[in-house]
Amino acid sequence: MLLLAALLLVGLALPAGAAPAGQLPQYLTPTPGPDGRILYIVREGDTCFLVAALHGMTVDQLRALNSKLDAACTLIPGQELLIGVVNPEGGTPTAGPSPTPAPPTVTPTPFTGTTEICVLLFDDQNGDALHETNEPPIAGGAVSVTEVNGKYSAALDTVIPSAPTVYPGVCFSDVPEGEYTISVAIPDTYNPTMNLSYRLKVNAGDRAFVDFGAQSKEKTAVSAEENSGGGGATLLGALGILLLLGGGALGWYAWQMRKPASRLGGSMLRKRK
């Protein structure tokens, strides 16, 4: 009996010792309801940027689906947000725009079995969709990294580093190898200069860098106004030169026409004397 009891105690202890270590928090896309609507329940600490990034959309798209959101995009825990609508017969939502950022740089790192994905949202001041050394990062956005089968998902806010760093973006560490969708939500005061979603496949030990660009709406408006004003000034200048040349030609012609009349008048006066 004592031996049987000891074996029973050892058997009960084994599962507890073999329990897996805590895993990274994961996020699965909500299942569509019978009417085809995909709803997300707001959790404590959620923002519009984070919710949009988790679902691969922009804040403007989230607002368009949820017209009752106020100007500050305030979220309340427990609130339902419409994320998309699918065909009740089994269709899928319409896909967003195809990604066009520059190919990411992948370099080997000493990680074992996992990867690291670093993402930069930068101020694309010249609008060329390429990150230059003088183009700073943008704070107030959000980045999400989601495995295509829903096995892993994480999101981070974009910030401006307090001190110079080798890479000023945000990095997701200990990410399992696989294929991921990387999405970015930008602040409302910016316009994207490239698509805000990218599909990336990484292997164990890789370190991937992906850049996304956006440009200030104020700078875009000023550039458009300068371009419009410069063209108008050039046209007015050319028109003014033509008017001056035309006036000079008319003056010269009138002066030439008056010269014979003056000589004729002088001859008539001499004859009267």
Side-chain angles (χ1 to χ4, degrees):
M1 289 296 292
L2 292 176
L3 179 60
L4 181 61
L7 291 174
L8 180 60
L9 290 175
V10 170
L12 291 175
L14 284 177
Q23 299 178 349
L24 291 172
Q26 300 180 357
Y27 172 74
L28 298 178
T29 302
T31 302
D35 58 355
R37 296 192 307 158
I38 302 176
L39 298 177
Y40 174 78
I41 306 300
V42 176
R43 298 175 295 185
E44 189 70 34
D46 278 349
T47 65
C48 285
F49 291 134
L50 285 174
V51 174
L54 281 173
H55 297 90
M57 63 173 63
T58 65
V59 174
D60 289 339
Q61 290 173 330
L62 182 65
R63 286 179 178 275
L65 290 172
N66 300 271
S67 58
K68 293 185 179 181
L69 289 174
D70 58 20
C73 206
T74 305
L75 300 182
I76 302 173
Q79 177 182 358
E80 289 186 345
L81 294 178
L82 179 62
I83 303 304
V85 180
V86 300
N87 188 332
E89 282 81 21
T92 57
T94 302
S98 300
T100 56
T105 303
V106 179
T107 56
T109 62
F111 298 118
T112 303
T114 59
T115 70
E116 183 174 25
I117 300 176
C118 295
V119 182
L120 171 64
L121 175 61
F122 68 94
D123 188 352
D124 190 6
Q125 297 175 353
N126 58 10
D128 64 354
L130 295 174
H131 181 225
E132 308 290 344
T133 55
N134 61 336
E135 293 177 330
I138 297 174
V143 179
S144 72
V145 173
T146 305
E147 203 271 333
V148 294
N149 295 318
K151 297 179 181 179
Y152 173 92
S153 183
L156 292 172
D157 291 330
T158 62
V159 296
I160 298 178
S162 57
T165 59
V166 176
Y167 188 76
V170 295
C171 293
F172 299 81
S173 301
D174 297 328
V175 179
E177 67 176 1
E179 190 169 1
Y180 290 85
T181 297
I182 304 171
S183 301
V184 173
I186 64 176
D188 291 337
T189 54
Y190 284 81
N191 286 322
T193 57
M194 60 179 68
N195 287 309
L196 300 179
S197 182
Y198 189 75
R199 182 70 66 87
L200 173 67
K201 184 175 182 180
V202 288
N203 298 315
D206 287 346
R207 190 181 190 191
F209 299 87
V210 185
D211 298 340
F212 293 90
Q215 190 177 64
S216 169
K217 290 182 178 179
E218 181 179 352
K219 179 175 180 58
T220 303
V222 170
S223 298
E225 183 178 350
E226 288 176 349
N227 292 334
S228 175
T234 302
L235 180 60
L236 289 175
L239 187 58
I241 291 174
L242 289 176
L243 289 174
L244 287 174
L245 291 175
L250 288 174
W252 180 84
Y253 179 75
W255 178 73
Q256 290 292 329
M257 291 297 294
R258 291 182 61 187
K259 288 169 63 179
S262 298
R263 289 195 296 270
L264 179 58
S267 299
M268 290 176 67
L269 288 173
R270 285 195 294 271
K271 288 181 179 179
R272 289 178 181 176
K273 291 181 180 180

